Amino acid sequence: MKTEHQTDTPMVEIRNVHKRFGDLEVLKGIDLTVNRGKIVSIIGPSGSGKSTLLRSVNHLEVIDQGEILLDGVQVNRPDMNGLAFERHINHIRQNMGMVFQHFNLFPHLSTIDNVTLGPRKLKGMDKKIARELGMELLDRVGLAEKAEVFPNHLSGGQKQRVAIARALAMQPKVMLFDEATSALDPELVEEVNRVMRGLAEEHMTMLIVTHEMTFARDVSDWTMFMDGGVVVEECAPEKLFSNPDQERTCNFLRKHLGDNH
Ligand SMILES: Nc1ncnc2c1ncn2[C@@H]1O[C@H](COP(=O)(O)OP(=O)(O)OP(=O)(O)O)[C@@H](O)[C@H]1O
Ligand SMILES: [Mg+2]
């Protein structure tokens, strides 16, 4: 049954997106919609364009054609430039939390300061209120006791949980995850996955690029398999992982599901 958080209203719309790097066309007309409160995972071989697509959503890559919308507002605006575009994109980015493979925490800031920097600097949030919010988020990712610790004293899994708390501190409309667990030792993966599952239960809208097939299958409402810059197949994970339509999907899954399937 749908809750008020889960609707058929699009939160992220990717329409006919093309992106090239020089002669190499990396995205060849991608379409994908993530509805509010839904979790969509993107899987595919290395070099298929998954990160480029996710980075395009956040305008870390400038697309060559097509359009991307966040909650009905166009992200890419070829008609805008200069300061006007900078203001526009900063506003858009405040509504998207992005979590990368390599955490990208600020090494010179404590855990709590990493989490509160965005709300303070970008939203002008009062220091005390930002700290309360930051502590709440650190508690949510199980790291309240690490508030004053610097990133180099944290494990990879802890760093990634701080990175998630930092992204959440901006109270984003959508969270984008690019291989959030692939730089972690296997025993640290679950603590990050647990936090992501918690977000799913709270109906956070999420777009997740992952190599972890079991996680994608368990947590997603919808899965897209891409290869060579095109969407090969997209459907509910129950179908994609057990009975895909396309030969390319079968081959990929055969390689990546290994013995546990
Ligand atoms: N800044 C760039 N300049 C030139 N080529 C790039 C750039 N970024 C990515 N590419 C190329 O675009 C293609 C897609 O890269 P991308 O990082 O999106 O793949 P991916 O699906 O995320 O792969 P992986 O699973 O290894 O992370 C690759 O061939 C890559 O070499
Ligand atoms: Mg990638």
Side-chain angles (χ1 to χ4, degrees), residues 132-204:
E132 278 169 16
L133 170 70
M135 287 308 297
E136 215 173 275
L137 289 169
L138 284 178
D139 190 42
R140 183 152 145 202
V141 299
L143 289 172
E145 80 285 6
K146 299 285 186 190
E148 307 304 333
V149 169
F150 282 75
N152 62 346
H153 288 264
L154 298 173
S155 72
Q158 291 171 336
K159 281 184 200 162
Q160 195 58 299
R161 286 186 281 147
V162 174
I164 294 171
R166 181 178 60 175
L168 292 172
M170 294 301 288
Q171 293 165 320
K173 291 183 174 180
V174 60
M175 288 284 286
L176 311 174
F177 292 89
D178 191 1
E179 310 271 6
T181 56
S182 52
L184 300 177
D185 291 337
E187 71 272 19
L188 302 179
V189 167
E190 187 45 38
E191 64 188 63
V192 173
N193 281 349
R194 202 178 309 127
V195 169
M196 291 173 70
R197 278 201 201 93
L199 291 177
E201 277 160 23
E202 292 165 32
H203 309 293
M204 171 61 79

Coordinates of all heavy atoms in Angstrom, one line a residue, residues 132-204:
E132 N 22.4 20.9 16.7 CA 21.4 20.0 17.2 C 21.0 19.0 16.0 O 20.9 17.8 16.2 CB 20.1 20.8 17.6 CG 20.3 21.3 19.0 CD 19.2 22.3 19.4 OE1 18.2 22.3 18.7 OE2 19.4 23.0 20.4
L133 N 20.8 19.6 14.9 CA 20.4 18.8 13.7 C 21.6 17.8 13.4 O 21.3 16.6 13.1 CB 20.2 19.7 12.5 CG 20.1 19.1 11.1 CD1 18.8 18.3 11.0 CD2 20.1 20.1 10.0
G134 N 22.8 18.3 13.4 CA 24.0 17.5 13.1 C 24.1 16.3 14.1 O 24.3 15.1 13.7
M135 N 23.8 16.6 15.4 CA 23.9 15.5 16.4 C 22.8 14.5 16.2 O 23.0 13.3 16.3 CB 23.8 16.1 17.8 CG 25.1 16.8 18.2 SD 26.6 15.9 18.0 CE 26.4 14.5 19.1
E136 N 21.6 15.0 15.8 CA 20.5 14.1 15.5 C 20.9 13.1 14.3 O 20.6 11.9 14.4 CB 19.3 15.0 15.1 CG 18.0 14.5 15.5 CD 17.0 15.6 15.1 OE1 16.8 16.5 15.9 OE2 16.4 15.5 14.0
L137 N 21.5 13.7 13.3 CA 21.8 12.9 12.1 C 23.0 11.9 12.5 O 23.0 10.8 12.0 CB 22.2 13.8 11.0 CG 21.0 14.6 10.4 CD1 21.5 15.7 9.4 CD2 20.1 13.6 9.7
L138 N 23.9 12.4 13.2 CA 25.0 11.5 13.6 C 24.5 10.3 14.4 O 24.9 9.2 14.3 CB 26.1 12.2 14.4 CG 27.0 13.1 13.5 CD1 28.0 13.9 14.4 CD2 27.8 12.3 12.5
D139 N 23.5 10.6 15.3 CA 22.9 9.6 16.1 C 22.2 8.6 15.1 O 22.3 7.4 15.3 CB 21.9 10.3 17.0 CG 21.4 9.3 18.1 OD1 22.2 8.5 18.6 OD2 20.2 9.2 18.3
R140 N 21.5 9.1 14.1 CA 20.8 8.3 13.2 C 21.7 7.3 12.4 O 21.3 6.2 12.1 CB 20.1 9.2 12.2 CG 19.2 8.6 11.2 CD 18.1 9.5 10.9 NE 17.7 9.4 9.5 CZ 17.1 10.3 8.8 NH1 16.9 11.5 9.3 NH2 16.8 10.1 7.6
V141 N 22.9 7.8 12.2 CA 23.9 6.9 11.5 C 24.8 6.2 12.4 O 25.8 5.5 12.1 CB 24.7 7.6 10.4 CG1 23.8 8.2 9.3 CG2 25.6 8.7 11.0
G142 N 24.4 6.3 13.8 CA 25.2 5.5 14.8 C 26.5 6.1 15.2 O 27.4 5.3 15.6
L143 N 26.7 7.4 15.0 CA 28.0 7.9 15.2 C 28.0 9.2 16.1 O 29.0 10.0 16.1 CB 28.7 8.3 13.9 CG 29.1 7.1 13.0 CD1 29.5 7.6 11.6 CD2 30.2 6.4 13.7
A144 N 27.1 9.3 17.0 CA 27.0 10.4 17.9 C 28.3 10.6 18.7 O 28.7 11.7 18.9 CB 25.8 10.3 18.8
E145 N 28.8 9.5 19.1 CA 30.0 9.5 20.0 C 31.3 10.0 19.2 O 32.3 10.2 19.8 CB 30.2 8.2 20.7 CG 30.9 7.1 20.0 CD 30.0 6.4 19.0 OE1 28.8 6.8 18.8 OE2 30.4 5.4 18.4
K146 N 31.2 10.1 17.9 CA 32.3 10.4 17.1 C 32.3 11.9 16.6 O 33.0 12.3 15.8 CB 32.4 9.5 15.8 CG 32.6 8.1 16.2 CD 34.0 7.8 16.6 CE 34.2 6.3 16.8 NZ 35.5 6.0 17.5
A147 N 31.4 12.7 17.3 CA 31.1 14.0 16.8 C 32.4 14.9 16.7 O 32.6 15.7 15.7 CB 30.1 14.7 17.7
E148 N 33.3 14.8 17.6 CA 34.5 15.6 17.7 C 35.7 15.0 17.0 O 36.8 15.6 17.0 CB 34.8 16.0 19.1 CG 33.6 16.6 19.9 CD 33.0 17.8 19.3 OE1 33.7 18.5 18.5 OE2 31.8 18.1 19.5
V149 N 35.5 13.9 16.5 CA 36.7 13.1 15.9 C 36.9 13.6 14.5 O 36.0 14.0 13.8 CB 36.4 11.6 15.9 CG1 37.3 10.8 15.1 CG2 36.3 11.1 17.3
F150 N 38.2 13.6 14.0 CA 38.5 14.0 12.6 C 38.4 12.8 11.7 O 38.7 11.7 12.2 CB 39.8 14.7 12.6 CG 39.7 16.2 13.1 CD1 39.6 16.4 14.5 CD2 39.7 17.2 12.2 CE1 39.5 17.7 14.9 CE2 39.6 18.5 12.7 CZ 39.5 18.8 14.0
P151 N 38.1 13.0 10.4 CA 37.9 11.9 9.5 C 39.1 10.9 9.5 O 38.8 9.7 9.3 CB 37.8 12.6 8.1 CG 37.2 13.9 8.5 CD 37.8 14.3 9.8
N152 N 40.3 11.3 9.7 CA 41.4 10.4 9.6 C 41.4 9.4 10.8 O 42.2 8.4 10.8 CB 42.8 11.0 9.4 CG 43.1 11.9 10.5 OD1 42.3 12.3 11.4 ND2 44.4 12.3 10.6
H153 N 40.6 9.6 11.7 CA 40.4 8.7 12.9 C 39.2 7.8 12.7 O 38.8 7.1 13.7 CB 40.4 9.4 14.2 CG 41.7 10.0 14.6 ND1 42.6 9.4 15.4 CD2 42.3 11.1 14.2 CE1 43.7 10.1 15.5 NE2 43.6 11.2 14.8
L154 N 38.6 7.8 11.6 CA 37.4 7.0 11.4 C 37.7 5.9 10.4 O 38.5 6.0 9.5 CB 36.3 7.9 10.8 CG 35.7 9.1 11.6 CD1 34.7 9.9 10.8 CD2 35.1 8.6 12.9
S155 N 36.9 4.8 10.5 CA 37.0 3.7 9.6 C 36.3 4.1 8.3 O 35.6 5.1 8.3 CB 36.4 2.4 10.1 OG 35.0 2.6 10.1
G156 N 36.5 3.4 7.2 CA 35.9 3.7 5.9 C 34.3 3.7 6.1 O 33.7 4.6 5.6
G157 N 33.8 2.7 6.8 CA 32.4 2.6 7.0 C 31.8 3.8 7.8 O 30.8 4.3 7.5
Q158 N 32.6 4.2 8.8 CA 32.2 5.4 9.6 C 32.3 6.6 8.7 O 31.4 7.5 8.8 CB 33.1 5.5 10.8 CG 32.9 4.4 11.8 CD 33.9 4.4 13.0 OE1 35.1 4.9 12.8 NE2 33.6 3.8 14.1
K159 N 33.3 6.8 7.9 CA 33.4 7.9 7.1 C 32.2 8.0 6.1 O 31.7 9.1 5.9 CB 34.7 7.9 6.2 CG 36.0 8.2 6.9 CD 37.1 8.2 5.9 CE 38.4 8.1 6.7 NZ 39.6 7.6 5.9
Q160 N 31.9 6.9 5.6 CA 30.7 6.9 4.6 C 29.4 7.2 5.4 O 28.6 7.9 4.8 CB 30.6 5.6 3.9 CG 29.8 5.6 2.7 CD 30.2 6.6 1.6 OE1 30.3 7.8 1.9 NE2 30.6 6.1 0.4
R161 N 29.3 6.8 6.6 CA 28.1 7.1 7.3 C 28.1 8.6 7.7 O 27.0 9.3 7.6 CB 28.0 6.3 8.6 CG 27.6 4.8 8.2 CD 27.3 4.0 9.5 NE 28.5 3.6 10.1 CZ 28.7 3.4 11.4 NH1 27.7 3.7 12.2 NH2 29.8 2.9 11.9
V162 N 29.2 9.2 7.9 CA 29.3 10.7 8.1 C 28.9 11.4 6.8 O 28.2 12.4 6.8 CB 30.7 11.1 8.6 CG1 30.8 12.7 8.6 CG2 31.1 10.5 9.9
A163 N 29.4 10.9 5.7 CA 29.1 11.5 4.4 C 27.6 11.4 4.1 O 27.0 12.4 3.6 CB 29.9 10.8 3.3
I164 N 27.0 10.4 4.6 CA 25.5 10.3 4.4 C 24.8 11.3 5.3 O 23.9 12.0 4.9 CB 25.0 8.8 4.7 CG1 25.5 7.9 3.6 CG2 23.5 8.8 4.7 CD1 25.3 6.4 3.8
A165 N 25.3 11.4 6.6 CA 24.7 12.4 7.5 C 24.9 13.8 6.9 O 24.0 14.6 7.0 CB 25.3 12.2 8.9
R166 N 26.0 14.0 6.4 CA 26.3 15.4 5.8 C 25.4 15.7 4.7 O 24.8 16.8 4.6 CB 27.8 15.4 5.3 CG 28.1 16.8 4.8 CD 29.6 16.9 4.3 NE 29.9 15.9 3.3 CZ 31.0 15.8 2.7 NH1 32.0 16.6 3.0 NH2 31.2 14.9 1.7
A167 N 25.1 14.7 3.8 CA 24.2 14.9 2.7 C 22.8 15.2 3.2 O 22.1 16.0 2.8 CB 24.2 13.7 1.7
L168 N 22.4 14.4 4.3 CA 21.0 14.5 4.8 C 20.8 15.8 5.5 O 19.7 16.3 5.6 CB 20.8 13.4 5.8 CG 20.7 12.0 5.2 CD1 20.6 10.9 6.4 CD2 19.4 11.9 4.3
A169 N 21.9 16.4 6.0 CA 21.8 17.7 6.7 C 21.2 18.8 5.9 O 20.6 19.8 6.4 CB 23.2 18.1 7.2
M170 N 21.3 18.7 4.6 CA 20.7 19.7 3.7 C 19.2 19.4 3.5 O 18.6 20.1 2.7 CB 21.5 19.8 2.4 CG 22.9 20.3 2.5 SD 23.0 21.9 3.3 CE 22.3 22.9 1.9
Q171 N 18.7 18.4 4.1 CA 17.3 18.0 3.9 C 16.9 17.9 2.5 O 16.0 18.6 2.0 CB 16.4 18.9 4.7 CG 16.7 18.7 6.2 CD 16.1 19.8 7.1 OE1 16.2 21.0 6.8 NE2 15.6 19.4 8.3
P172 N 17.7 17.0 1.7 CA 17.5 17.0 0.3 C 16.2 16.3 -0.1 O 15.6 15.5 0.7 CB 18.7 16.1 -0.2 CG 19.0 15.3 1.0 CD 18.6 16.1 2.2
K173 N 15.7 16.5 -1.3 CA 14.6 15.9 -1.9 C 14.9 14.5 -2.4 O 14.0 13.6 -2.6 CB 14.0 16.7 -3.0 CG 13.4 18.0 -2.5 CD 12.7 18.8 -3.7 CE 12.0 20.0 -3.1 NZ 11.4 20.7 -4.2
V174 N 16.2 14.3 -2.8 CA 16.6 13.0 -3.3 C 18.0 12.8 -2.9 O 18.8 13.7 -2.7 CB 16.5 13.0 -4.8 CG1 17.3 14.1 -5.5 CG2 16.8 11.7 -5.4
M175 N 18.4 11.5 -2.7 CA 19.8 11.1 -2.4 C 20.3 10.3 -3.5 O 19.7 9.4 -4.0 CB 19.8 10.3 -1.1 CG 19.5 11.1 0.2 SD 21.0 12.1 0.7 CE 22.1 10.8 1.4
L176 N 21.5 10.7 -4.0 CA 22.2 10.0 -5.1 C 23.4 9.3 -4.5 O 24.2 9.9 -3.8 CB 22.7 11.0 -6.1 CG 21.6 12.1 -6.6 CD1 22.3 13.1 -7.6 CD2 20.5 11.4 -7.3
F177 N 23.5 8.0 -4.8 CA 24.6 7.2 -4.2 C 25.4 6.6 -5.4 O 24.8 5.9 -6.2 CB 24.1 6.1 -3.4 CG 23.4 6.5 -2.1 CD1 22.1 6.8 -2.0 CD2 24.2 6.6 -0.9 CE1 21.5 7.2 -0.8 CE2 23.6 7.0 0.3 CZ 22.2 7.2 0.3
D178 N 26.6 6.9 -5.5 CA 27.5 6.3 -6.5 C 28.5 5.3 -5.9 O 29.5 5.7 -5.3 CB 28.2 7.4 -7.3 CG 28.9 6.8 -8.6 OD1 28.7 5.6 -8.8 OD2 29.6 7.6 -9.3
E179 N 28.1 4.1 -5.9 CA 29.0 3.0 -5.4 C 29.4 3.3 -4.0 O 30.6 3.3 -3.6 CB 30.3 2.9 -6.2 CG 30.1 2.8 -7.7 CD 29.9 1.3 -8.2 OE1 29.8 0.4 -7.3 OE2 29.8 1.1 -9.4
A180 N 28.5 3.6 -3.1 CA 28.8 4.1 -1.8 C 29.5 3.1 -0.9 O 30.2 3.5 0.0 CB 27.5 4.4 -1.1
T181 N 29.5 1.8 -1.3 CA 30.2 0.8 -0.5 C 31.3 0.1 -1.2 O 32.0 -0.7 -0.6 CB 29.2 -0.3 0.0 OG1 28.6 -0.9 -1.2 CG2 28.1 0.3 0.9
S182 N 31.6 0.5 -2.4 CA 32.6 -0.3 -3.2 C 34.1 -0.1 -2.8 O 34.9 -0.8 -3.1 CB 32.4 -0.3 -4.7 OG 32.4 1.0 -5.1
A183 N 34.3 1.0 -2.0 CA 35.7 1.2 -1.5 C 35.9 0.6 -0.1 O 36.9 0.8 0.5 CB 36.0 2.7 -1.5
L184 N 34.8 0.0 0.4 CA 34.9 -0.5 1.8 C 35.3 -2.0 1.9 O 35.0 -2.8 1.0 CB 33.5 -0.3 2.4 CG 32.9 1.1 2.5 CD1 31.5 1.0 3.1 CD2 33.8 2.0 3.3
D185 N 36.0 -2.3 3.0 CA 36.3 -3.7 3.3 C 34.9 -4.4 3.5 O 34.0 -3.8 4.0 CB 37.1 -3.8 4.6 CG 38.5 -3.3 4.4 OD1 39.0 -3.2 3.2 OD2 39.1 -2.9 5.4
P186 N 34.9 -5.6 3.1 CA 33.6 -6.3 3.1 C 32.8 -6.2 4.5 O 31.6 -6.1 4.5 CB 33.9 -7.8 2.8 CG 35.2 -7.7 2.1 CD 35.9 -6.5 2.5
E187 N 33.6 -6.3 5.5 CA 32.9 -6.3 6.8 C 32.3 -4.9 7.2 O 31.6 -4.8 8.2 CB 33.9 -6.8 8.0 CG 35.0 -5.9 8.3 CD 36.2 -6.1 7.5 OE1 36.1 -6.6 6.4 OE2 37.3 -5.6 7.9
L188 N 32.7 -3.9 6.4 CA 32.1 -2.6 6.7 C 30.9 -2.2 5.8 O 30.3 -1.2 6.0 CB 33.2 -1.5 6.6 CG 34.5 -1.7 7.4 CD1 35.5 -0.6 7.2 CD2 34.1 -1.7 8.9
V189 N 30.7 -3.0 4.8 CA 29.6 -2.7 3.9 C 28.3 -2.7 4.5 O 27.5 -1.8 4.3 CB 29.7 -3.8 2.7 CG1 28.4 -3.7 1.9 CG2 30.9 -3.6 1.9
E190 N 28.0 -3.7 5.4 CA 26.7 -3.8 6.0 C 26.3 -2.6 6.8 O 25.1 -2.2 6.8 CB 26.6 -5.1 6.8 CG 25.2 -5.5 7.3 CD 24.1 -5.3 6.3 OE1 24.3 -5.6 5.1 OE2 23.0 -4.9 6.7
E191 N 27.2 -2.0 7.5 CA 26.8 -0.9 8.4 C 26.4 0.3 7.5 O 25.5 1.1 7.9 CB 28.0 -0.4 9.3 CG 29.2 0.1 8.6 CD 30.4 0.3 9.6 OE1 30.9 -0.7 10.2 OE2 30.8 1.4 9.7
V192 N 26.9 0.4 6.3 CA 26.5 1.5 5.4 C 25.1 1.1 4.8 O 24.2 1.9 4.7 CB 27.6 1.8 4.4 CG1 27.0 2.8 3.3 CG2 28.8 2.4 5.1
N193 N 25.1 -0.1 4.4 CA 23.8 -0.6 3.8 C 22.6 -0.5 4.8 O 21.5 -0.2 4.4 CB 23.9 -2.1 3.4 CG 24.7 -2.3 2.0 OD1 24.9 -1.3 1.4 ND2 25.1 -3.5 1.7
R194 N 22.9 -0.7 6.0 CA 21.9 -0.6 7.1 C 21.3 0.8 7.1 O 20.1 1.0 7.2 CB 22.5 -1.0 8.4 CG 21.4 -1.4 9.4 CD 22.0 -1.9 10.7 NE 23.0 -2.9 10.6 CZ 24.2 -2.8 11.1 NH1 24.6 -1.7 11.9 NH2 25.1 -3.7 11.0
V195 N 22.2 1.8 7.0 CA 21.8 3.2 7.0 C 21.0 3.5 5.8 O 19.9 4.1 5.9 CB 23.1 4.1 7.1 CG1 22.6 5.6 6.8 CG2 23.8 4.0 8.4
M196 N 21.4 2.9 4.7 CA 20.6 3.2 3.4 C 19.3 2.5 3.5 O 18.3 3.1 3.0 CB 21.4 2.7 2.2 CG 22.7 3.6 2.0 SD 23.8 2.9 0.7 CE 22.8 3.2 -0.8
R197 N 19.2 1.3 4.1 CA 17.9 0.7 4.2 C 17.0 1.5 5.1 O 15.8 1.6 4.9 CB 18.1 -0.7 4.8 CG 18.5 -1.8 3.8 CD 18.1 -3.2 4.3 NE 18.9 -4.1 3.5 CZ 20.1 -4.5 3.9 NH1 20.6 -4.2 5.1 NH2 20.8 -5.3 3.1
G198 N 17.6 2.1 6.2 CA 16.8 3.0 7.1 C 16.2 4.1 6.3 O 15.1 4.5 6.5
L199 N 17.0 4.7 5.4 CA 16.5 5.8 4.6 C 15.3 5.3 3.7 O 14.3 6.0 3.5 CB 17.6 6.4 3.7 CG 18.7 7.2 4.5 CD1 19.8 7.6 3.5 CD2 18.1 8.3 5.2
A200 N 15.5 4.1 3.2 CA 14.4 3.6 2.4 C 13.2 3.4 3.2 O 12.1 3.8 2.7 CB 14.9 2.2 1.8
E201 N 13.3 3.0 4.4 CA 12.1 2.8 5.2 C 11.4 4.1 5.5 O 10.2 4.2 5.7 CB 12.5 2.1 6.5 CG 12.5 0.6 6.3 CD 13.3 -0.1 7.4 OE1 13.5 0.5 8.5 OE2 13.8 -1.2 7.2
E202 N 12.2 5.2 5.5 CA 11.7 6.5 5.8 C 11.2 7.2 4.5 O 10.9 8.4 4.5 CB 12.7 7.4 6.5 CG 13.0 6.9 7.9 CD 14.3 7.6 8.4 OE1 14.6 8.7 8.0 OE2 15.0 6.9 9.2
H203 N 11.2 6.4 3.4 CA 10.7 6.9 2.1 C 11.5 8.0 1.5 O 10.9 8.9 0.8 CB 9.2 7.3 2.2 CG 8.4 6.2 2.8 ND1 8.2 5.0 2.2 CD2 7.8 6.1 4.0 CE1 7.4 4.2 3.0 NE2 7.2 4.9 4.1
M204 N 12.8 8.0 1.8 CA 13.7 8.9 1.1 C 13.7 8.5 -0.4 O 13.8 7.3 -0.7 CB 15.1 8.9 1.7 CG 16.1 9.7 0.9 SD 15.8 11.4 0.8 CE 16.3 12.0 2.4

